[in-house]
Amino acid sequence: MRDEPTQITRLDNGFRVVSEAMPWLETAAIGVWVDVGARYEAAEVNGVAHMLEHMAFKGTETRSARAIAEQMENVGGALNAFTGREHTAYYARVLAEDVPLAAEIVADILRRSVFDPIELERERHVILQEIGQVQDTPDDLVFDLFQERAFPGQAIGRPILGPEAIVARMPRQALVDYMATHYRPSRMVLAAAGKVEHDRLVELARRLFGDLADIPTAPAERASYAGGRLVDRRKDLEQVHVCIGWEGVSWNDPDDHAQSVLSAALGGGMSSRLFQEVRESRGLCYAVHTFASGYADTGLFGIYAGTSPKDLPELLRVVAAETEKLLDEATEDEVARARAQIKAALLMGQESCANVCGELASQLLYFDRRVPTAETVAKLDAVDAAAVKRVGRRLLASRPATLVTLGPVGRKVPEVGFDRLAA
């Protein structure tokens, strides 16, 4: 396993530059990650972080929305962005010689966006269509409902896209204020991977971001897991979509890697216990899988499945039984298989400059360092069956569990039956 040639530079204003050279490539990925996302929003402007990300592409003081798209695609590049609950990213994939252009365009949309009122109204309609698409996609919507039930009345529990009613009336000033408050240099990272030269990137960063003034910003409100049940019958659906879960661990928790291995063993692939028993042996569903989301101060661990209303009681019983069996009887062979899946995905990702770029940025924002791949692999290798059992019981001890169903269930949703596991 090669050592990552990672270089990190911090400018005088706190802005960080991180890069990893992959000189055998002819391309590069480059972008700016900002340590702020939807959990930094007030309730009355829920959705502003995502709307801001959209509007950043809709014109600057020097480029129209069309010019932004054409200048990037004239060189065969691709420009994109995403908004998460804790981070927002603006990034590009280009040929190596076009890295300066990509950096300049990203800096332009982050520093000189005009938020034109006409463009805002047009993009507002686009975002409302995006919200409508989620509302029409139950296997997406159920995760928003699950997040909200796990963390009710909190920014971390609200949907990233925001509700239609708030987005429909979001004022331009809310975007301006949000960017001015949160997009500060000490919360920003310029990350690049591929055929890049670190010294040139630092020069670009100084020219493009070096004059940004840094001011203190307030942290996000601390998360408080609540859990409980939510039965949503509003959809005219053939299936019931169900999420069952508990409070998980944060990114920096010592049990983070054990949680990942637990997730893979329980429902991470075709050989996992849930896939084999729920789908292959009993035919109760088409889709069943586990998921784990880590945040700065908390996390979520859960199980998703979609099934027919008549099969819901049996599905819940089987999910509980298989989870119980894993936490009682996890074998070293299945834990080794789960570790192998995670390690393979990790190492395959190191062959993509886009994946490496995102990993660099995320690690700088969470840990203020590049976590060597060898260190991660060593921590994964240290997870044995006993660790999987221990972390599983730790997670299930968070009471109550969160159970969300979306679709045509009867008047009463069956009990899940995890009480013995949490004891």
Side-chain angles (χ1 to χ4, degrees):
M1 191 179 304
R2 68 182 181 86
D3 294 329
E4 291 89 349
T6 308
Q7 293 180 272
I8 302 171
T9 300
R10 187 186 298 267
L11 305 187
D12 291 342
N13 62 356
F15 188 94
R16 285 165 289 178
V17 183
V18 58
S19 71
E20 199 161 293
M22 305 167 75
W24 56 90
L25 300 181
E26 295 299 327
T27 63
I30 182 171
V32 171
W33 272 250
V34 190
D35 191 21
V36 66
R39 72 175 297 187
Y40 289 81
E41 299 170 345
E44 61 270 18
V45 290
N46 180 202
V48 67
H50 176 253
M51 181 175 276
L52 172 60
E53 173 231 306
H54 272 243
M55 286 303 299
F57 293 86
K58 298 305 173 182
T60 72
E61 296 169 6
T62 57
R63 292 177 172 91
S64 66
R66 186 182 184 92
I68 291 170
E70 288 183 346
Q71 287 183 23
M72 182 57 65
E73 294 184 0
N74 282 345
V75 298
L79 183 66
N80 212 333
F82 70 82
T83 304
R85 287 191 162 84
E86 294 188 321
H87 298 158
T88 308
Y90 305 81
Y91 55 93
R93 182 78 188 272
V94 291
L95 298 178
E97 60 265 30
D98 297 315
V99 164
L101 173 65
E104 289 167 5
I105 290 177
V106 170
D108 197 27
I109 67 177
L110 288 177
R111 301 205 56 189
R112 286 174 286 276
S113 285
V114 294
F115 306 126
D116 178 76
I118 295 175
E119 289 284 358
L120 177 59
E121 291 311 309
R122 186 179 295 124
E123 199 62 23
R124 186 193 310 278
H125 184 69
V126 171
I127 296 170
L128 290 172
Q129 296 297 316
E130 186 179 0
I131 294 171
Q133 180 175 310
V134 171
Q135 293 292 322
D136 286 342
T137 311
D139 49 348
D140 286 342
L141 177 58
V142 72
F143 286 95
D144 277 351
L145 298 175
F146 179 81
Q147 188 89 16
E148 186 176 9
R149 180 62 267 175
F151 299 106
Q154 302 166 60
I156 196 171
R158 291 192 281 268
I160 292 171
L161 302 186
E164 292 182 9
I166 291 178
V167 171
R169 63 174 189 271
M170 187 83 71
R172 176 184 180 275
Q173 192 61 42
L175 280 68
V176 174
D177 292 345
Y178 187 87
M179 175 171 268
T181 299
H182 297 293
Y183 279 51
R184 312 314 308 171
S186 60
R187 302 183 74 164
M188 301 169 79
V189 169
L190 173 67
K195 195 169 187 177
V196 295
E197 298 177 24
H198 187 75
D199 290 344
R200 292 189 65 190
L201 291 169
V202 173
E203 290 174 8
L204 281 168
R206 283 202 177 100
R207 176 167 62 85
L208 299 171
F209 297 98
D211 63 330
L212 264 178
D214 198 35
I215 58 173
T217 57
E221 68 173 336
R222 189 161 184 83
S224 178
Y225 174 83
R229 286 186 167 220
L230 173 66
V231 178
D232 191 319
R233 299 179 175 88
R234 63 181 150 159
K235 290 291 180 181
D236 182 17
L237 302 172
E238 293 296 322
Q239 281 196 314
V240 177
H241 298 264
V242 57
C243 280
I244 311 162
W246 302 267
E247 183 174 21
V249 303
S250 69
W251 275 83
N252 57 6
D253 190 285
D255 279 334
D256 178 46
H257 295 90
Q259 177 181 256
S260 297
V261 176
L262 166 67
S263 180
L266 181 60
M270 294 175 64
S271 64
S272 67
R273 290 200 176 217
L274 290 181
F275 190 94
Q276 283 296 311
E277 187 65 25
V278 176
R279 172 173 160 159
E280 298 294 274
S281 296
R282 298 174 184 254
L284 294 173
C285 66
Y286 172 74
V288 58
H289 62 82
T290 52
F291 57 92
S293 303
Y295 304 109
D297 57 346
T298 187
L300 281 175
F301 176 83
I303 301 159
Y304 162 81
T307 191
S308 64
K310 69 179 179 63
D311 287 328
L312 179 61
E314 183 181 0
L315 180 138
L316 293 175
R317 286 194 298 270
V318 174
V319 165
E322 289 305 309
T323 304
E324 178 177 304
K325 287 179 184 177
L326 178 65
L327 300 194
D328 281 343
E329 309 165 2
T331 68
E332 295 298 345
D333 284 346
E334 68 182 321
V335 170
R337 185 165 56 244
R339 288 198 308 261
Q341 292 173 3
I342 299 170
K343 287 193 291 185
L346 173 68
L347 295 174
M348 290 175 187
Q350 301 304 301
E351 299 177 1
S352 161
C353 64
N355 285 349
V356 172
C357 181
E359 189 175 88
L360 289 171
S362 296
Q363 290 179 352
L364 260 288
L365 292 178
Y366 275 125
F367 309 119
D368 200 27
R369 70 183 181 103
R370 169 63 153 135
V371 179
T373 302
E375 178 182 326
T376 302
V377 169
K379 289 180 177 178
L380 286 168
D381 283 339
V383 177
D384 58 12
V388 166
K389 295 174 187 176
R390 176 184 54 76
V391 75
R393 292 185 178 279
R394 172 190 169 184
L395 299 182
L396 268 64
S398 60
R399 305 296 292 161
T402 302
L403 171 63
V404 173
T405 62
L406 173 63
V409 299
R411 296 188 63 178
K412 183 179 179 182
V413 177
E415 293 297 324
V416 186
F418 287 99
D419 288 342
R420 190 179 76 79
L421 293 178

